Amino acid sequence: MTMKPSVLVARAVFPEVLDKLAQHFEVTSNQTDVFWTQEVLIQQLQGHQGALTTGSVRIDAVVLAACPDLKICANMAVGYNNFDVDAMTQAGVLATNTPDVLTETTADFGFALLLATARRMAEAEHFLRSGRWDRWRYDMFAGCEVHGSTLGILGMGRIGQGIARRAAHGFGMKVIYHNRSRLDAATEAACGAVWVDQSELLRTCDHLMLVLPYSAATHHVIGANELAQMKPTATLINIARGGIVDEVALAAALRQGTIAAAGLDVFEGEPKVHPDLLALRNVVLTPHIASATIRTRLAMAHLAADNLIGYLVDGKPVTPINPQVLAT
Ligand code: 8YV
């Protein structure tokens, strides 16, 4: 009898996904979801050929050097800045992610955060719960218009395009975007979006949505200089990665009225949130939940599992990030 390959599930996951994995593998799972330091992660990974990871599990050269049995890390996320992909490719370890299955759900949430921020929903709800609401007033929690305004999207991949379609077709917004590569004309038309350079994007948008991948090149792409170019009535929404924004500069901009409000689902040091942000009322803060519907999280977990099965059982992963590994 041949031995089943062995996989480590590094964070708690749906029991039905563990059952699926167990049909093909010896499975060890961190179902109690305890925090693992790098040292513990390395210990836990020993002897496993596959790992199911999430954005909080860092796979870098140190981990790879200490885990020679590892062949694949399947991230349950579309973003993979927790992977050192070059180091993984060099070590012959396949990386996979979960694109597509979360696009529309995440775009919904981006829009929800935009609406909540521009229309001051969190602030108004806290006010009501605190028992301070004693009468209607003409300017009470008066916010910024969403429909008919200009949405700027920085990063125009699948999620950015989903947000653009909602904005242009559902809310009659003018949509402008900036991306390294410009979309083809047919996709631009379907999204109702127009390409502009970054400076025009910042200067002309009423709402700025960040949906770009995080890397060394996009670290603090939005800092004091960029915020200063935005309208004082503008809102900033970040559903990408916290490190894209200089949070200290953002907190200062929100305090000083350089921009009006922000909605943040991601943070540079998450789950820690910068105290300067916590102190502000004109910021809506959510705990990295843009893809969090049961259906979508299940689809993400299944796709991560299918990548492990596809590669370790059949040699054919579904959504590889570094397919060069397959050729070697
Ligand atoms: C994940 C995300 O929930 O897919 C991504 O890139 O940010 C979220 O959908 C998170 O990364 C946990 O893995």
Side-chain angles (χ1 to χ4, degrees), residues 30-55:
N30 178 12
Q31 280 307 90
T32 49
D33 222 15
V34 287
F35 173 77
W36 287 347
T37 59
Q38 184 187 63
E39 203 186 333
V40 175
L41 175 67
I42 288 171
Q43 278 164 15
Q44 293 286 340
L45 277 170
Q46 295 309 307
H48 296 289
Q49 288 79 50
L52 194 154
T53 57
T54 70

Short mmCIF file of all heavy atoms in Angstrom, two decimals, residues 30-55:
data_model
loop_
_atom_site.label_atom_id
_atom_site.label_comp_id
_atom_site.label_asym_id
_atom_site.label_seq_id
_atom_site.Cartn_x
_atom_site.Cartn_y
_atom_site.Cartn_z
N ASN A 30 -4.78 22.88 12.21
CA ASN A 30 -4.75 23.78 13.38
C ASN A 30 -6.20 24.24 13.66
O ASN A 30 -6.50 25.42 13.61
CB ASN A 30 -3.83 24.96 13.06
CG ASN A 30 -3.75 25.98 14.18
OD1 ASN A 30 -4.21 25.74 15.30
ND2 ASN A 30 -3.17 27.14 13.88
N GLN A 31 -7.08 23.27 13.95
CA GLN A 31 -8.50 23.62 14.09
C GLN A 31 -8.78 24.49 15.32
O GLN A 31 -9.79 25.16 15.38
CB GLN A 31 -9.39 22.37 14.15
CG GLN A 31 -9.68 21.75 12.78
CD GLN A 31 -10.26 22.70 11.73
OE1 GLN A 31 -9.49 23.33 11.00
NE2 GLN A 31 -11.56 22.83 11.66
N THR A 32 -7.87 24.47 16.30
CA THR A 32 -8.08 25.36 17.45
C THR A 32 -7.61 26.78 17.12
O THR A 32 -7.80 27.70 17.89
CB THR A 32 -7.31 24.85 18.69
OG1 THR A 32 -5.97 24.57 18.28
CG2 THR A 32 -7.96 23.60 19.26
N ASP A 33 -7.00 26.92 15.94
CA ASP A 33 -6.59 28.23 15.42
C ASP A 33 -5.67 28.99 16.37
O ASP A 33 -5.79 30.20 16.54
CB ASP A 33 -7.85 29.07 15.13
CG ASP A 33 -7.72 29.83 13.81
OD1 ASP A 33 -6.84 29.48 13.02
OD2 ASP A 33 -8.49 30.77 13.60
N VAL A 34 -4.73 28.26 16.98
CA VAL A 34 -3.76 28.93 17.85
C VAL A 34 -2.75 29.67 16.97
O VAL A 34 -2.50 29.28 15.82
CB VAL A 34 -3.02 27.95 18.79
CG1 VAL A 34 -3.95 27.48 19.89
CG2 VAL A 34 -2.42 26.79 18.03
N PHE A 35 -2.19 30.72 17.51
CA PHE A 35 -1.19 31.50 16.78
C PHE A 35 0.14 30.73 16.74
O PHE A 35 0.61 30.26 17.76
CB PHE A 35 -1.00 32.87 17.45
CG PHE A 35 0.14 33.64 16.85
CD1 PHE A 35 -0.02 34.29 15.64
CD2 PHE A 35 1.38 33.69 17.48
CE1 PHE A 35 1.03 34.97 15.06
CE2 PHE A 35 2.44 34.39 16.91
CZ PHE A 35 2.25 35.02 15.70
N TRP A 36 0.72 30.60 15.57
CA TRP A 36 2.01 29.93 15.42
C TRP A 36 3.08 30.95 15.08
O TRP A 36 2.95 31.69 14.11
CB TRP A 36 1.96 28.89 14.29
CG TRP A 36 1.18 27.66 14.61
CD1 TRP A 36 0.73 27.24 15.83
CD2 TRP A 36 0.74 26.65 13.66
NE1 TRP A 36 0.05 26.05 15.71
CE2 TRP A 36 0.05 25.67 14.41
CE3 TRP A 36 0.88 26.48 12.29
CZ2 TRP A 36 -0.51 24.53 13.81
CZ3 TRP A 36 0.32 25.34 11.69
CH2 TRP A 36 -0.35 24.39 12.45
N THR A 37 4.14 30.95 15.88
CA THR A 37 5.32 31.74 15.51
C THR A 37 5.97 31.04 14.31
O THR A 37 5.61 29.89 13.98
CB THR A 37 6.34 31.74 16.66
OG1 THR A 37 6.68 30.37 16.92
CG2 THR A 37 5.80 32.40 17.91
N GLN A 38 6.95 31.69 13.71
CA GLN A 38 7.66 31.07 12.59
C GLN A 38 8.29 29.73 13.03
O GLN A 38 8.26 28.75 12.29
CB GLN A 38 8.74 32.01 12.07
CG GLN A 38 9.43 31.45 10.85
CD GLN A 38 10.62 32.29 10.43
OE1 GLN A 38 11.59 32.42 11.16
NE2 GLN A 38 10.53 32.85 9.25
N GLU A 39 8.83 29.73 14.26
CA GLU A 39 9.48 28.52 14.78
C GLU A 39 8.47 27.37 14.86
O GLU A 39 8.76 26.24 14.45
CB GLU A 39 10.03 28.85 16.17
CG GLU A 39 11.14 27.99 16.62
CD GLU A 39 11.50 28.31 18.07
OE1 GLU A 39 11.28 29.46 18.52
OE2 GLU A 39 11.99 27.40 18.74
N VAL A 40 7.29 27.66 15.39
CA VAL A 40 6.26 26.62 15.52
C VAL A 40 5.77 26.19 14.14
O VAL A 40 5.58 24.99 13.87
CB VAL A 40 5.08 27.12 16.41
CG1 VAL A 40 3.96 26.09 16.45
CG2 VAL A 40 5.57 27.43 17.81
N LEU A 41 5.60 27.15 13.25
CA LEU A 41 5.17 26.81 11.87
C LEU A 41 6.15 25.82 11.25
O LEU A 41 5.75 24.82 10.66
CB LEU A 41 5.06 28.09 11.03
CG LEU A 41 4.75 27.89 9.55
CD1 LEU A 41 3.33 27.34 9.35
CD2 LEU A 41 4.90 29.19 8.77
N ILE A 42 7.43 26.10 11.41
CA ILE A 42 8.47 25.22 10.85
C ILE A 42 8.35 23.82 11.46
O ILE A 42 8.38 22.82 10.74
CB ILE A 42 9.87 25.83 11.06
CG1 ILE A 42 10.04 27.04 10.12
CG2 ILE A 42 10.97 24.79 10.84
CD1 ILE A 42 11.29 27.87 10.35
N GLN A 43 8.17 23.76 12.78
CA GLN A 43 8.01 22.44 13.43
C GLN A 43 6.80 21.72 12.87
O GLN A 43 6.85 20.53 12.55
CB GLN A 43 7.78 22.62 14.94
CG GLN A 43 9.03 22.83 15.75
CD GLN A 43 8.66 23.38 17.14
OE1 GLN A 43 7.50 23.35 17.56
NE2 GLN A 43 9.66 23.91 17.83
N GLN A 44 5.70 22.46 12.77
CA GLN A 44 4.44 21.85 12.33
C GLN A 44 4.52 21.36 10.88
O GLN A 44 3.86 20.40 10.51
CB GLN A 44 3.28 22.86 12.45
CG GLN A 44 2.94 23.25 13.87
CD GLN A 44 2.21 22.14 14.62
OE1 GLN A 44 1.64 21.24 14.03
NE2 GLN A 44 2.25 22.19 15.95
N LEU A 45 5.31 22.06 10.06
CA LEU A 45 5.39 21.72 8.63
C LEU A 45 6.25 20.48 8.36
O LEU A 45 6.21 19.93 7.26
CB LEU A 45 5.97 22.90 7.84
CG LEU A 45 5.00 24.00 7.45
CD1 LEU A 45 5.75 25.21 6.90
CD2 LEU A 45 3.98 23.50 6.41
N GLN A 46 7.02 20.04 9.36
CA GLN A 46 7.95 18.92 9.11
C GLN A 46 7.22 17.69 8.60
O GLN A 46 6.19 17.29 9.15
CB GLN A 46 8.73 18.57 10.38
CG GLN A 46 9.67 19.67 10.86
CD GLN A 46 10.60 20.19 9.76
OE1 GLN A 46 11.30 19.41 9.10
NE2 GLN A 46 10.59 21.49 9.54
N GLY A 47 7.73 17.13 7.53
CA GLY A 47 7.18 15.88 7.00
C GLY A 47 5.96 16.06 6.10
O GLY A 47 5.45 15.10 5.54
N HIS A 48 5.48 17.31 5.95
CA HIS A 48 4.30 17.54 5.09
C HIS A 48 4.74 17.96 3.69
O HIS A 48 5.61 18.81 3.53
CB HIS A 48 3.39 18.62 5.68
CG HIS A 48 2.80 18.23 7.00
ND1 HIS A 48 1.82 17.27 7.11
CD2 HIS A 48 3.04 18.67 8.26
CE1 HIS A 48 1.49 17.13 8.39
NE2 HIS A 48 2.23 17.96 9.11
N GLN A 49 4.02 17.45 2.70
CA GLN A 49 4.31 17.85 1.32
C GLN A 49 3.48 19.08 0.91
O GLN A 49 3.85 19.82 0.02
CB GLN A 49 3.99 16.71 0.33
CG GLN A 49 4.95 15.55 0.37
CD GLN A 49 4.68 14.62 1.54
OE1 GLN A 49 3.55 14.18 1.75
NE2 GLN A 49 5.71 14.32 2.32
N GLY A 50 2.34 19.24 1.57
CA GLY A 50 1.48 20.37 1.20
C GLY A 50 1.05 21.17 2.42
O GLY A 50 1.00 20.64 3.53
N ALA A 51 0.74 22.44 2.19
CA ALA A 51 0.21 23.28 3.27
C ALA A 51 -0.94 24.11 2.72
O ALA A 51 -0.85 24.63 1.60
CB ALA A 51 1.30 24.19 3.83
N LEU A 52 -2.01 24.20 3.50
CA LEU A 52 -3.08 25.14 3.18
C LEU A 52 -2.86 26.33 4.11
O LEU A 52 -2.85 26.18 5.33
CB LEU A 52 -4.45 24.49 3.39
CG LEU A 52 -5.65 25.24 2.78
CD1 LEU A 52 -6.78 24.27 2.46
CD2 LEU A 52 -6.17 26.34 3.67
N THR A 53 -2.63 27.49 3.50
CA THR A 53 -2.29 28.67 4.29
C THR A 53 -3.33 29.77 4.08
O THR A 53 -4.14 29.71 3.16
CB THR A 53 -0.92 29.23 3.83
OG1 THR A 53 -0.99 29.51 2.43
CG2 THR A 53 0.20 28.26 4.10
N THR A 54 -3.28 30.77 4.94
CA THR A 54 -4.05 31.99 4.72
C THR A 54 -3.07 33.16 4.75
O THR A 54 -1.87 32.97 4.99
CB THR A 54 -5.12 32.21 5.82
OG1 THR A 54 -4.44 32.53 7.03
CG2 THR A 54 -5.99 30.99 6.00
N GLY A 55 -3.62 34.37 4.55
CA GLY A 55 -2.77 35.55 4.46
C GLY A 55 -1.90 35.80 5.68
O GLY A 55 -0.90 36.53 5.60
#
